[in-house]
């Protein structure tokens, strides 16, 4: 069955309404395709939803998947010194860049949001003592993240690019393979996404070791700001931003 698509053709997006509908679909165990500045993403918040995503992408059921979160979740879950939180805040929350942040979490005293996950999902979203949390940009994902932050059950979102495995980022719904859309419950179609000219996903940064894992869309902006605003941090940690 084809997924429900919002907004209707010819209608203007209503971010608050659309984010609420996506939130409710995720909460009910569904899978959603949502817009991000670096392409469309598949999101889930339950193991049932994760399996829909993996079916859509043609992935193994045990594959890893990252958290699509908020700066607040990053602050609460990751274990880092204050200067590194200042670094991530300036480059994501303040400047509106989407960056996947990889860092350690407390494996002994799990944060309640992680502790609420079933075992299979916890294994999928963590790697040893580290977890990846993408801090998004753009009003839609910010609103969806706000709803998650306010959720009394501590809902987390997990996500990956909305394309068949290995087939590259998709920046318009029309370009997403039908096999990817078929298992999905809801599609938020906001047209062509902002950073389509890069043709790739966002930046992944291991802030624990101050290493770039993927120099994705907008990396030259990320690098310039990091060097301008945090030269001492880069020097003391031996970080090299090529």
């Amino acid at each position: 069955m084809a997924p429900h698509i919002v907004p209707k053709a010819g209608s203007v997006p209503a971010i608050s309404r659309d984010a609420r509908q996506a939130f409710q679909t995720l909460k009910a165990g569904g899978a959603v395709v949502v817009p991000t500045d670096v392409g469309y993403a598949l999101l889930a918040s339950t193991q049932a939803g994760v399996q829909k995503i993996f079916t859509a992408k043609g992935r193994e059921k045990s594959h890893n998947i990252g958290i699509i979160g908020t700066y607040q979740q990053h602050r609460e879950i990751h274990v880092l010194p204050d200067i590194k939180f200042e670094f991530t805040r300036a480059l994501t929350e303040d400047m509106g860049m989407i960056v996947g942040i990889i860092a350690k979490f407390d494996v002994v005293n799990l944060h309640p949001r992680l502790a609420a996950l079933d075992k299979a999902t916890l294994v999928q979203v963590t790697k040893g003592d580290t977890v990846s949390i993408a801090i998004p940009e753009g009003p839609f994902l910010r609103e969806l993240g706000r709803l998650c932050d306010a959720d009394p059950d501590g809902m987390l979102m997990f996500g990956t690019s909305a394309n068949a495995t290995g087939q590259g980022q998709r920046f318009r719904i029309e370009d997403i393979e039908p096999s990817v859309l078929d298992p999905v419950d809801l599609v938020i179609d906001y047209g062509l996404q902002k950073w389509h000219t890069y043709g790739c996903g966002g930046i992944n940064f291991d802030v624990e070791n101050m290493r770039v894992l993927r120099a994705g869309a907008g990396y030259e902006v990320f690098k310039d700001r990091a060097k301008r605003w945090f030269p001492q941090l880069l020097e003391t940690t031996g970080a090299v931003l090529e």
Side-chain angles (χ1 to χ4, degrees):
M1 186 174 68
H4 180 55
I5 300 177
V6 296
K8 294 180 180 179
S11 298
V12 176
I15 289 170
S16 179
R17 178 203 64 200
D18 298 344
R20 172 64 64 178
Q21 188 168 354
F23 175 81
Q24 291 170 342
T25 302
L26 292 168
K27 189 94 170 170
V32 180
V33 172
V34 302
T36 84
D37 283 357
V38 293
Y40 281 88
L42 284 159
L43 295 187
S45 69
T46 65
Q47 183 58 209
V50 168
Q51 291 310 318
K52 286 186 179 183
I53 284 179
F54 289 171
T55 296
K57 289 184 69 73
R59 279 185 174 172
E60 296 293 328
K61 291 184 177 181
S62 59
H63 201 282
N64 285 100
I65 190 168
I67 294 172
I68 309 298
T70 62
Y71 181 75
Q72 177 179 320
Q73 292 168 23
H74 158 59
R75 283 290 312 225
E76 292 176 355
I77 293 173
H78 282 148
V79 178
L80 291 167
D82 286 343
I83 183 60
K84 289 187 176 180
F85 280 126
E86 184 181 350
F87 175 85
T88 57
R89 176 188 55 75
L91 295 174
T92 61
E93 186 80 351
D94 292 353
M95 292 292 104
M97 289 196 73
I98 184 168
V99 180
I101 303 294
I102 295 88
K104 290 183 178 181
F105 66 99
D106 189 337
V107 297
V108 176
N109 300 301
L110 280 180
H111 186 277
R113 289 182 186 269
L114 294 179
L117 301 178
D118 61 85
K119 184 177 180 180
T121 305
L122 181 62
V123 169
Q124 287 169 321
V125 302
T126 58
K127 187 174 183 180
D129 60 355
T130 65
V131 60
S132 173
I133 302 177
I135 304 173
E137 63 178 316
F140 175 83
L141 278 183
R142 289 286 177 97
E143 176 61 14
L144 186 53
R146 185 192 67 78
L147 293 172
C148 291
D149 284 345
D151 179 47
D153 297 323
M155 189 177 101
L156 287 172
M157 298 184 294
F158 322 112
T160 183
S161 56
N163 56 270
T165 297
Q167 297 306 303
Q169 211 79 359
R170 298 291 188 253
F171 295 88
R172 295 183 300 186
I173 294 298
E174 300 93 313
D175 297 331
I176 300 174
E177 299 91 331
S179 60
V180 172
L181 294 175
D182 285 346
V184 169
D185 300 286
L186 176 68
V187 172
I188 308 296
D189 184 358
Y190 282 7
L192 183 65
Q193 292 304 292
K194 184 169 73 175
W195 286 8
H196 63 95
T197 53
Y198 287 91
C200 63
I203 301 157
N204 285 338
F205 190 76
D206 175 0
V207 73
E208 182 76 30
N209 299 295
M210 297 298 287
R211 292 188 302 121
V212 177
L213 301 183
R214 183 174 69 190
Y219 176 66
E220 72 280 7
V221 178
F222 175 91
K223 178 174 67 173
D224 180 79
R225 290 170 175 173
K227 288 183 174 181
R228 284 176 183 271
W229 301 336
F230 296 94
Q232 187 173 357
L233 175 62
L234 297 181
E235 182 179 355
T236 57
T237 58
V240 178
L241 303 183
E242 298 293 348

